[in-house]
């Protein structure tokens, strides 16, 4: 069995050095949150500033107080614990907005994107196997187990109305597909409210947010990993100002058994790792939630339907197929440079 736990390989930040005395200082910080590696490059007039630390604190709070399904301190944990309550559970305004966005994406993706897949995600526990936490003896769930878990899923069965969520008993929310996107939106708000910061590029595993500009005027360069060899890239996005880039790939978290790769992105129809001929999808959007949700949805839908969904949502998309073909939306071409 081969295991793989890629926390940050799917994105590379390619930055030129800032130099010259009048320029803002560059602060680089690497840390972990939400099960992934966070790399920050900030250009700031306040070289002693606490910005990088404050961003990590923001991410820590988002995970522990709001989004984690694993921690009993979070709102998602409480909502899951409240599944089956006839009176439902009160949700915070920010959680209501997140869940409404998830339901919207569920509709638009015709059910491919579904944050109620928690029971199936837990049954596979690809995160645990990929991280080596479950030992060496991986075997895929049995059909009967999958069928039982799938019976407890389905975003159409949850109800969200006026700040109250009703989840049928046994259901489990898992916001792994949008957590980094929500985090990127929060980070952008933080950056916009900090007058010292003139530019930033922050990578959260497979997701990148850019802000402002570099002191030397060069653009932000975000590499797109080659799924067949994650030490290399298929190309680079050349970006100016505020952007969100999210990638979903079958190489991010997976286990291999008998030559079959079992990855972490689930097709809600089968309850098994999605098999749409796609190895990696990258979304470029003006909003973090959208870029993250769409990258997951487009991975499951595949090229044709995924392209239509991205267009419907006003985002750009690039697919790398399992046989190495690259296809992208028209708008993406303006930002993409093929690797030499
Ligand atoms: P994406 O494509 O963005 O998302 C894939 C993830 O979405 C899957 O892992 C699953 O969780 C979910 N999913 C699968 N299929 C679907 C579907 N059809 N529709 C909707 N969602 C789907 N990892 C750890 O190993 N340990 C941790 O403690 C940990 N804590 C986390 C806390 C938070 C708040 C978040 C946001 C993530 C955490 N993670 C942790 C990582 C998490 O479990 C996922 O692996 C990760 O978010 C996947 O992100 P991605 O960008 O690679 O893939
Ligand atoms: Mg996603």
């Amino acid at each position: 069995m081969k295991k793989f736990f890629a926390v940050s390989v799917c994105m590379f930040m390619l930055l030129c050095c800032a130099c010259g005395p009048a320029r803002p200082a560059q602060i680089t910080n690497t840390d972990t949150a939400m099960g992934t590696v966070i790399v920050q490059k900030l250009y700031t007039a306040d070289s002693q500033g606490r910005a990088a630390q404050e961003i990590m604190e923001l991410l820590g709070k988002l995970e522990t107080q709001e989004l984690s399904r694993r921690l009993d301190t979070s709102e998602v944990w409480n909502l899951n614990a409240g599944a089956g309550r006839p009176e439902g559970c009160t949700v915070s305004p920010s959680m209501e907005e997140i869940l409404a966005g998830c339901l919207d994406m569920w509709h638009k993706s015709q059910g491919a994107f579904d944050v109620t897949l928690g029971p199936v995600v837990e049954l596979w526990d690809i995160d645990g196997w990929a991280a080596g936490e479950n030992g060496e003896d991986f075997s895929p769930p049995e059909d009967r187990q999958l069928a039982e878990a799938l019976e407890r899923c389905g975003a159409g069965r949850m109800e969200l109305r006026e700040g109250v969520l009703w989840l049928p008993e046994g259901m489990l929310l898992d916001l792994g597909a949008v957590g980094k996107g929500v985090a990127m939106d929060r980070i952008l708000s933080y950056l916009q409210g900090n007058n010292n910061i003139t530019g930033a590029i922050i990578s959260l595993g497979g997701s990148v947010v850019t802000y402002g500009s570099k002191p030397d005027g060069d653009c932000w360069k975000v590499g797109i990993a080659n799924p067949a060899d994650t030490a290399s890239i298929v190309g680079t996005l050349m970006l100016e100002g505020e952007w969100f880039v999210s990638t979903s790939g079958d190489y991010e978290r997976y286990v291999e058994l008998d030559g079959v790769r079992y990855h972490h992105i689930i097709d809600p129809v089968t309850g098994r790792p999605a098999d749409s001929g796609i190895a990696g999808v990258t979304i470029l959007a003006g909003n973090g939630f959208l870029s993250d949700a769409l990258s997951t949805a487009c991975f499951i839908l595949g090229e044709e339907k995924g392209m239509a969904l991205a267009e419907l949502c006003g985002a750009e998309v690039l697919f790398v197929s399992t046989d190495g073909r690259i296809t992208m939306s028209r708008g993406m071409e303006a930002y993409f440079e093929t690797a030499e």
Side-chain angles (χ1 to χ4, degrees):
M1 180 186 72
K2 258 169 64 188
K3 299 182 296 228
F4 191 79
F5 184 56
V7 282
S8 65
V9 289
C10 70
M11 283 288 171
F12 303 81
M13 298 188 307
L14 310 172
L15 292 171
C16 298
C17 291
C19 47
R23 288 178 176 169
Q26 179 186 308
I27 293 178
T28 306
N29 180 284
T30 304
D31 210 329
T32 53
M34 302 195 300
T36 198
V37 176
I38 315 293
V39 183
Q40 304 185 49
K41 298 227 175 187
L42 308 174
Y43 294 95
T44 170
D46 175 14
S47 59
Q48 304 304 311
R50 282 185 27 85
Q53 202 45 46
E54 283 173 1
I55 287 172
M56 287 314 300
E57 283 164 17
L58 175 161
L59 295 179
K61 278 190 187 160
L62 180 63
E63 178 175 356
T64 55
Q65 297 178 4
E66 297 183 54
L67 300 184
S68 177
R69 72 173 155 78
R70 298 167 171 91
L71 302 175
D72 63 7
T73 49
S74 80
E75 185 169 1
V76 163
W77 174 284
N78 279 317
L79 294 175
N80 285 337
R85 269 190 215 148
E87 72 278 20
C89 288
T90 307
V91 289
S92 64
S94 57
M95 184 59 70
E96 186 171 19
E97 193 184 333
I98 293 167
L99 293 178
C102 292
L103 279 171
D104 184 48
M105 188 54 76
W106 176 72
H107 279 290
K108 286 186 173 138
S109 68
Q110 296 173 350
F113 177 90
D114 190 339
V115 289
T116 70
L117 281 175
V120 178
V121 170
E122 286 201 344
L123 180 62
W124 282 96
D125 191 21
I126 296 296
D127 284 342
W129 287 105
E133 290 163 3
N134 299 339
E136 296 291 322
D137 301 322
F138 170 79
S139 60
E142 291 168 14
D143 290 351
R144 177 190 51 79
Q145 292 175 299
L146 273 177
E148 275 170 14
L150 274 172
E151 269 174 26
R152 298 196 278 128
C153 304
R157 299 171 58 217
M158 78 186 207
E159 210 180 319
L160 182 66
R161 212 168 357 101
E162 291 166 14
V164 178
L165 175 74
W166 285 268
L167 270 184
E169 197 171 352
M171 284 185 79
L172 269 182
L173 294 173
D174 167 33
L175 300 187
V178 287
K180 290 186 229 163
V182 174
M184 291 197 292
D185 287 330
R186 301 276 174 98
I187 289 172
L188 183 68
S189 298
Y190 172 89
L191 295 170
Q192 286 169 333
N194 186 325
N195 291 333
N196 284 319
I197 298 176
T198 54
I201 181 164
I202 300 175
S203 148
L204 303 84
S207 298
V208 176
V209 51
T210 65
Y211 168 75
S213 58
K214 282 184 3 187
D216 61 7
D218 200 0
C219 63
W220 305 115
K221 293 169 188 161
V222 179
I224 299 176
N226 177 359
D229 169 17
T230 53
S232 66
I233 56 174
V234 294
T236 305
L237 296 181
M238 317 290 272
L239 306 171
E240 280 174 12
E242 282 83 55
W243 283 106
F244 299 89
V245 182
S246 293
T247 295
S248 290
D250 67 0
Y251 53 88
E252 297 269 3
R253 286 163 188 236
Y254 66 85
V255 207
E256 275 180 355
L257 180 69
D258 300 332
V260 180
R261 179 175 292 193
Y262 298 90
H263 62 77
H264 68 321
I265 304 172
I266 305 292
D267 183 339
V269 174
T270 60
R272 297 176 183 283
D275 183 18
S276 58
I278 299 301
V281 182
T282 297
I283 300 288
L284 176 65
N287 159 329
F289 177 92
L290 180 66
S291 70
D292 198 1
L294 263 183
S295 71
T296 311
C298 289
F299 187 97
I300 298 153
L301 288 173
E303 252 173 60
E304 200 177 317
K305 288 183 180 169
M307 192 78 86
L309 177 63
E311 193 180 345
L312 176 72
C313 297
E316 304 305 336
V317 60
L318 180 147
F319 295 94
V320 183
S321 66
T322 45
D323 57 8
R325 255 180 329 103
I326 297 176
T327 40
M328 68 187 95
S329 56
R330 261 286 170 77
M332 190 68 116
E333 288 171 12
Y335 304 98
F336 183 74
E337 263 186 22
T338 308
E340 285 167 14

